[in-house]
Amino acid sequence: MADTPSTPGAEKRPDFLGTYLETLSMVERLHRLLLDVIKDEFERLGVIDINPVQALLLFNVGDNVVTAGELKTRGYYQGSNVSYNLKKLVEAGYMHHERCSVDRRAVRVRLTARGAEIRNVVASLFERHATGIVARDVLSPNRISEINNDLRRVENYWTEQIRYIY
């Protein structure tokens, strides 16, 4: 139902659609900016054989051993080209892969020592950011928890919409 003056609470949100669209744009910009921040960190360190998307993939996998399919279902990877990035990470020595003993079609991946080093670089970057955000009073720990709760609610809503379609 459209957010019109007859909708309960609409008088408090006269331009909810505009604000919602601004939020969608901000989420997209923040993701791209995060990739740029990671890229800059790697350039500063002289790491040139890995891109920011691959670095985030290594960070998200961490100490886990997962299949390519699980990377998406567990939320470790959001892109559509997971096979390409896994292949590049294996070729560069950042990930180890092996056929699953139960299902030979599935490939299980885990970080190599080199991959763990990259994961630690990203973790250190995020730790510095977290410290800086609190120190500069950009966000309080309570406020970031509220933002996360709000974003989870939007995620759940969108997930319900996808399930409704199918």
Side-chain angles (χ1 to χ4, degrees), residues 120-137:
N120 292 340
V121 167
V122 176
S124 178
L125 175 67
F126 290 167
E127 288 171 18
R128 286 196 322 267
H129 287 173
T131 299
I133 286 170
V134 172
R136 293 177 60 185
D137 202 27

Side-chain angles (χ1 to χ4, degrees), residues 112-160:
T112 62
R114 191 168 184 219
E117 288 174 14
I118 293 296
R119 189 229 180 269
N120 292 340
V121 167
V122 176
S124 178
L125 175 67
F126 290 167
E127 288 171 18
R128 286 196 322 267
H129 287 173
T131 299
I133 286 170
V134 172
R136 293 177 60 185
D137 202 27
V138 174
L139 289 171
S140 70
N142 287 341
R143 183 65 191 119
I144 200 160
S145 291
E146 291 171 7
I147 291 169
N148 286 342
N149 287 335
D150 291 343
L151 290 174
R152 262 188 229 98
R153 291 171 55 197
V154 171
E155 179 184 33
N156 290 339
Y157 175 79
W158 287 349
T159 301
E160 289 171 7

